[in-house]
Every structure is written in structure tokens, then in C-alpha cells.
Amino acid sequence: QRVLDDKYLQVSVTLYGDRRDFAQSTFIMLTQDDRKIMPSHVRSDATAERTSAWPKSPAYRAKVVASFAYGDFDPLAKTQLSVFPRTGGEISFDLDFAAIP
């Protein structure tokens, strides 16, 4: 019931990097057609956890969670999730919210 009452969709992304603080200031955004949908809130692990590969790469794992207001996006539209790490670059994924049961 708590999930149904929530006004925000939370999108969680797990990232891997080589420094304990690599996930800080990571930004997440949704795009539908030409419309950019900004999150209401983004939070990330301040200190990443060591992976089993440590000290080799990827040495650390962190979670970044973005909250998007349900009224800000169309759940039936083609959607792209973009992740912008602090170190630069962009990682994008296509999403299909309509396929979620």
C-alpha cells in the first residue's frame, strides 16, 4: 500500500567504479521524445562498498536512486533513462514502463 500511495517513482541504478566516492554527484534523467524529465530528488551512496574484485577493477559498487513525480512523465511513452556520472560521460537505457506488471 505504501508503494501505491507514493507520489514518486523511484529508479535505482547500481554503478561500479574504482574510487570509494565515485558515485557522488551522479545525476539521473528521463527523456520522452524531446522532453527531458528531471527528478525531484537524487541520492547516492556517499561511500561505495567494496566488490569481490577489490583491489582490482571494478573495486567499488554504489547505488544511485532518483525520484520522479508520477505526474511528470507518461508511463506509456517510450522512455530513455540517462545516467551522468560525476567523472563525465553518459550511460543510457531504454525503458518500457508499460511492461511492468
Side-chain angles (χ1 to χ4, degrees):
Q1 186 63 43
R2 183 180 65 89
V3 171
L4 294 175
D5 291 342
D6 200 342
K7 296 176 184 168
Y8 299 95
L9 169 71
Q10 289 191 342
V11 176
S12 176
V13 178
T14 301
L15 302 174
Y16 293 85
D18 292 322
R19 294 179 32 191
R20 290 191 76 88
D21 64 347
F22 80 94
Q24 292 177 3
S25 302
T26 294
F27 186 72
I28 296 178
M29 174 181 76
L30 298 177
T31 304
Q32 293 182 327
D33 293 321
D34 292 334
R35 218 177 72 161
K36 295 183 184 335
I37 300 134
M38 302 301 166
S40 302
H41 181 75
V42 178
R43 64 180 166 83
S44 63
D45 292 338
T47 304
E49 298 177 4
R50 286 183 182 174
T51 65
S52 59
W54 185 90
K56 296 180 182 177
S57 184
Y60 297 97
R61 172 182 53 240
K63 186 186 305 182
V64 180
V65 179
S67 299
F68 295 92
Y70 281 113
D72 289 350
F73 65 93
D74 179 355
L76 301 177
K78 182 178 175 182
T79 305
Q80 185 175 60
L81 169 75
S82 297
V83 180
F84 300 92
R86 174 180 72 173
T87 56
E90 175 183 354
I91 305 161
S92 296
F93 306 90
D94 292 328
L95 302 177
D96 184 359
F97 293 125
I100 299 172

